[in-house]
Amino acid sequence: MLNVAPRVESAIADRKGVVALESTIFSHLGLPSPANAQALRRCLQAVTSWGAETALTAVIDGEARIGVEPDQYETICGPARKAAARDLSVAIGHRWSYGATTVSAALQLADAAGIEVFATGGIGGVHRGVSDTGDISADLDAIAAHRVITVSAGAKVFLDLPRTLEYLETRSVPVLGWQTDTFPAFHAQSSGLPVPHRVDTADEVARIARAHWALGGGGILVVAPVPADQAIPFDEISAAVDVALAELADSEATGNEVTPVVLAALGRVTEGQSVPANLALAENNARVAAEIAVRLAAMVPGAD
Ligand code: PSU
Ligand code: MN
């Protein structure tokens, strides 16, 4: 049922450093073609060039894969059904041909396989208007529950970012700003909101993680800003978000359809500018995650 690639198993055993990846971002639900395939290639390369092993997660033909191989990349970049953590068992039981893992599903699979670091684009969080809709992404509880470090460019910019940070505090998730003092806003380098703690090196993250886990803690969120050359100014992206959310209000989308609809609308409203930003931040997160994974794997639990 759980299919862990042998190269991933060996990398864990050899303490080489492994980075898990979700697949929704690379499917038709995440990025338009051909940007999705480029994103996949660039994320995988960012991990391997840092000396870590990649573990792309997905459900393919009813089997949960941890470490998808190149012969399935075409499937990964194609049409998918979105599989959050609660859908994983259904995707397996109903033998979905392709269930693309979200953050919550990828974290569950990573944890089950013993992988300690995971990279994504931007996590889901508390949606604006939550008091009407109750929409809080399962990503947040999954980050809190699993002993895995998630690296993201903050949360998706169309969310309620202050409430998302509040929720992470409620769930005792350490939020570490990677070489930054403020919470990134996905396509924008900063939301202006302060992060509780700043870190500047992988070594700091590794030491914090080992301490957190020794104390019985769950997940850790490391937030890395999108690289400056692809960043969109916060005011500009905020204006685009307002237009995209108005389009959402006119659509019938609810539940797990909301995120793909808003991401597609943002692509249109920014005339494609959001796409290279999305690619650059995903690649950067994969690189930061690899750096952390290599350092963490080399550190024997309890010895440092
Ligand atoms: N961020 C992106 N693209 C995406 C997502 C996030 O840049 O496609 C996906 C992730 O898989 C995340 C999911 O886990 O959206 C959250 O969906 P929801 O808001 O329905 O929980
Ligand atoms: Mn939701």
Side-chain angles (χ1 to χ4, degrees):
M1 208 165 48
L2 271 196
N3 179 330
V4 186
R7 63 181 169 79
V8 172
E9 282 189 326
S10 323
I12 295 170
D14 300 344
R15 310 194 67 81
K16 184 183 168 194
V18 180
V19 175
L21 298 166
E22 57 150 313
S23 40
T24 297
I25 178 174
F26 307 120
S27 76
H28 282 183
L29 298 168
L31 281 163
S33 175
N36 59 348
Q38 287 166 11
L40 175 60
R41 190 174 42 75
R42 283 170 56 176
C43 287
L44 294 168
Q45 169 99 47
V47 172
T48 49
S49 61
W50 204 271
E53 193 61 61
T54 63
L56 175 61
T57 60
V59 175
I60 297 176
D61 295 329
E63 204 174 55
R65 302 277 188 94
I66 298 148
V68 174
E69 303 295 0
D71 61 335
Q72 297 289 349
Y73 290 170
E74 216 177 298
T75 302
I76 293 292
C77 296
R81 291 179 76 174
K82 188 168 164 179
R86 70 163 182 175
D87 307 306
L88 273 179
S89 50
V90 180
I92 295 166
H94 278 174
R95 303 200 65 76
W96 290 7
S97 57
Y98 175 27
T101 50
T102 67
V103 169
S104 65
L107 282 171
Q108 188 163 38
L109 293 176
D111 198 7
I115 298 169
E116 297 178 316
V117 184
F118 161 70
T120 180
I123 58 165
V126 180
H127 283 253
R128 299 184 197 182
V130 63
S131 50
D132 293 328
T133 62
D135 194 350
I136 299 174
S137 176
D139 291 2
L140 297 181
D141 280 349
I143 291 169
H146 297 288
R147 285 193 170 193
V148 177
I149 298 170
T150 294
V151 181
S152 83
K156 285 171 291 180
V157 62
F158 53 85
L159 299 170
D160 186 329
L161 298 181
R163 281 204 167 89
T164 298
L165 277 166
E166 282 294 347
Y167 192 84
L168 289 163
E169 182 181 355
T170 300
R171 295 300 319 267
S172 296
V173 176
V175 178
L176 310 177
W178 178 260
Q179 298 167 356
T180 183
D181 295 305
T182 58
F183 194 64
F186 200 49
H187 312 91
Q189 286 202 299
S190 172
S191 63
L193 299 165
V195 276
H197 307 284
R198 175 192 174 115
V199 289
D200 287 284
T201 62
D203 194 56
E204 286 166 76
V205 179
R207 278 186 283 131
I208 291 167
R210 288 284 173 238
H212 191 58
W213 295 334
L215 292 167
I220 290 174
L221 180 63
V222 174
V223 289
V226 58
D229 55 347
Q230 296 294 345
I232 302 177
F234 185 62
D235 293 350
E236 234 171 84
I237 197 69
S238 297
V241 165
D242 291 343
V243 179
L245 288 179
E247 282 190 26
L248 172 72
D250 292 339
S251 80
E252 308 269 281
T254 56
N256 72 0
E257 300 157 350
V258 167
T259 292
V261 167
V262 178
L263 285 175
L266 267 184
R268 278 197 308 281
V269 176
T270 61
E271 290 170 353
Q273 216 197 331
S274 67
V275 174
N278 207 332
L279 245 73
L281 66 88
E283 178 183 38
N284 186 58
N285 294 340
R287 186 195 63 75
V288 171
E291 195 177 335
I292 293 169
V294 168
R295 184 66 199 96
L296 190 63
M299 193 182 269
V300 179
D304 290 77

